[in-house]
Amino acid sequence: MKTIIAAYSQNRSGSRSSVRAALRTLLTAPWPSQRDVRSCLQLLAVLQWVLSFLVLGVVSLLVLIYLVFTSFWPISALYLAWVIFDRDTPEKGGRRLACLRRWPVWKYFRDYFPVQLVKTHDLSPSHNYIIGSHPHGILCVGAFCNFTTCSTGFLEMFPGIKPSLTTLAGNFLLPLFREYLMSGGLFPVTRQAIGYLLSKNGTGNAVAIVIGGASESLSCQPGVTTLILKNRKGFVRMALEHGAHLVPSFSFGENDLFRQVVFEEGTWMRSIQNRIQKMMGFAPCVFYGRGLLSVQSRGFLPYPKPITTVVGEPMTVPKIAEPSREVVDLYHEMYVRSLLKLFHENKTKYGMSETDELRI
């Protein structure tokens, strides 16, 4: 018995020593610095955004379909009824929430790259505007950060101007994702939605359109800037019909956020991509970025490369109810010249060389 008690006492003594040693090691271990904590928060901010845009809509749809076959089917039925009742809201002003646009998370999102907005000219609140956003890139990070969140100071730089970013109309068919998009002030890129913002919502509206669209993302790669703009003239016609001034903008660094496997025109893979893009509205890009734990690893997060969005000089556009093809072509040509001027005047300031060209 004495032997057992002695062994027990020795074990307890050893346990206490182990605990003390562990606590001593924990207290002497270096705590994460403010920089480490900030970097972690920035990474998490980007992660939630990427997951929201890539999987939120699809996962929500699958969950609602699954619930139909369970005792929770009324949830799916009620949401379907809500979507039917609320189907016209995205094209009639939406339902933006200022608190979401000012969400502190977006400041960490901005600082991850970082994203910067540069103003070159004033925009008068007495007019409406169509802002052409270039290039599309893979996920339109610059356009989203500058025109959907308040993190880069758009409202302070352009007082009295309310920005609205447009996106694929098909996104507003996905459950919950549509609510997320509308709360941030996004609208479907349709004539009805754009027409409402430019004609029935007063003045001081700036509708940002990523003109190259999903097709342009297929040509996105670092060091090469190719825009699909030559035959995209619908935005010019809309501007003429509503008398909205045209404003070019360019996000330098947008194409550096991901690496993409680019299939040349004429290959069978490119034809499959083009066919899916025409059928579904989005382009199935084969791309990769950094991993979650390291910049050197591969994953689906964008690389932390700086993005600078330069908003150019507004181009005065007259209001013509039914503009002719010649008039549309004229103002489209003027817009292209204005965009090229903006690009060449700023490319060397924001990470490009003097020899870099803009392909249209």
Side-chain angles (χ1 to χ4, degrees):
M1 179 62 72
K2 292 181 179 179
T3 303
I4 295 174
I5 293 174
Y8 176 71
S9 300
Q10 185 177 3
N11 184 54
R12 289 187 62 186
S13 177
S15 298
R16 291 194 194 97
S17 300
S18 299
V19 171
R20 292 195 198 98
L23 289 174
R24 195 177 299 112
T25 302
L26 181 63
L27 292 174
T28 57
W31 288 87
S33 65
Q34 281 189 331
R35 180 178 180 180
D36 292 335
V37 173
R38 189 165 55 250
S39 297
C40 182
L41 292 174
Q42 291 170 4
L43 189 64
L44 291 175
V46 174
L47 176 63
Q48 66 83 25
W49 179 78
V50 171
L51 291 178
S52 296
F53 270 81
L54 293 183
V55 303
L56 176 60
V58 175
V59 170
S60 300
L61 179 61
L62 293 176
V63 169
L64 287 177
I65 293 174
Y66 169 75
L67 292 179
V68 170
F69 302 98
T70 70
S71 58
F72 296 100
W73 65 265
I75 296 177
S76 299
L78 288 173
Y79 187 79
L80 177 60
W82 163 251
V83 170
I84 294 174
F85 173 78
D86 194 54
R87 63 186 181 278
D88 294 332
T89 300
E91 296 190 337
K92 292 185 177 180
R95 192 167 42 246
R96 72 172 66 203
L97 297 177
C99 59
L100 183 66
R101 293 171 64 90
R102 296 183 182 276
W103 200 15
V105 168
W106 301 130
K107 293 184 179 180
Y108 292 107
F109 179 87
R110 172 200 65 194
D111 294 339
Y112 170 85
F113 298 96
V115 181
Q116 179 186 6
L117 180 66
V118 175
K119 169 186 173 181
T120 61
H121 294 78
D122 292 329
L123 299 181
S124 172
S126 60
H127 299 291
N128 285 325
Y129 302 89
I130 290 181
I131 300 178
S133 179
H134 311 273
H136 183 284
I138 297 294
L139 293 179
C140 302
V141 172
F144 175 86
C145 192
N146 288 297
F147 304 128
T148 300
T149 79
C150 298
S151 61
T152 57
F154 184 97
L155 298 181
E156 290 74 24
M157 290 185 189
F158 303 99
I161 303 298
K162 183 169 66 175
S164 301
L165 180 63
T166 59
T167 185
L168 291 173
N171 288 331
F172 293 87
L173 300 176
L174 296 172
L176 298 185
F177 191 44
R178 70 188 294 274
E179 322 300 338
Y180 177 77
L181 293 176
M182 283 194 291
S183 63
L186 282 91
F187 298 86
V189 60
T190 62
R191 290 182 61 85
Q192 183 177 349
I194 297 173
Y196 183 94
L197 291 172
L198 296 178
S199 63
K200 300 180 181 179
N201 204 35
T203 59
N205 298 290
V207 181
I209 304 175
V210 185
I211 297 169
S215 300
E216 192 172 276
S217 63
L218 295 176
S219 302
C220 169
Q221 56 182 317
V224 179
T225 306
T226 302
L227 302 185
I228 296 181
L229 179 60
K230 187 176 182 180
N231 296 318
R232 298 288 175 95
K233 302 179 181 180
F235 73 102
V236 177
R237 184 175 295 276
M238 289 289 294
L240 287 164
E241 290 175 352
H242 298 281
H245 296 186
L246 287 170
V247 184
S249 72
F250 196 93
S251 294
F252 294 91
E254 183 74 46
N255 284 354
D256 298 329
L257 304 183
F258 293 95
R259 302 293 183 266
Q260 181 181 190
V261 180
V262 178
F263 301 100
E264 298 296 331
E265 289 290 348
T267 61
W268 66 274
M269 277 298 297
R270 188 56 175 262
S271 63
I272 291 176
Q273 288 179 313
N274 291 333
R275 188 171 302 176
I276 294 176
Q277 189 272 320
K278 290 179 181 179
M279 292 172 55
M280 307 295 293
F282 66 90
C285 303
V286 181
F287 68 91
Y288 65 89
R290 60 159 290 181
L292 183 61
L293 301 178
S294 170
V295 177
Q296 283 71 36
S297 62
R298 291 189 179 184
F300 57 89
L301 295 178
Y303 290 106
K305 302 287 186 178
I307 302 173
T308 303
T309 301
V310 183
V311 180
E313 181 179 4
M315 192 177 81
T316 303
V317 176
K319 185 174 182 179
I320 304 175
E322 296 182 4
S324 64
R325 180 180 297 179
E326 291 74 20
V327 172
V328 172
D329 290 344
L330 173 63
Y331 280 92
H332 182 269
E333 184 180 346
M334 292 170 61
Y335 176 85
V336 172
R337 288 202 301 266
S338 181
L339 176 62
L340 287 171
K341 178 183 177 183
L342 177 71
F343 175 80
H344 289 296
E345 286 180 349
N346 293 278
K347 62 182 181 181
T348 56
K349 300 178 185 177
Y350 305 113
M352 303 185 79
S353 67
E354 187 65 42
T355 58
D356 285 334
E357 295 294 328
L358 185 62
R359 303 176 187 174
I360 297 177

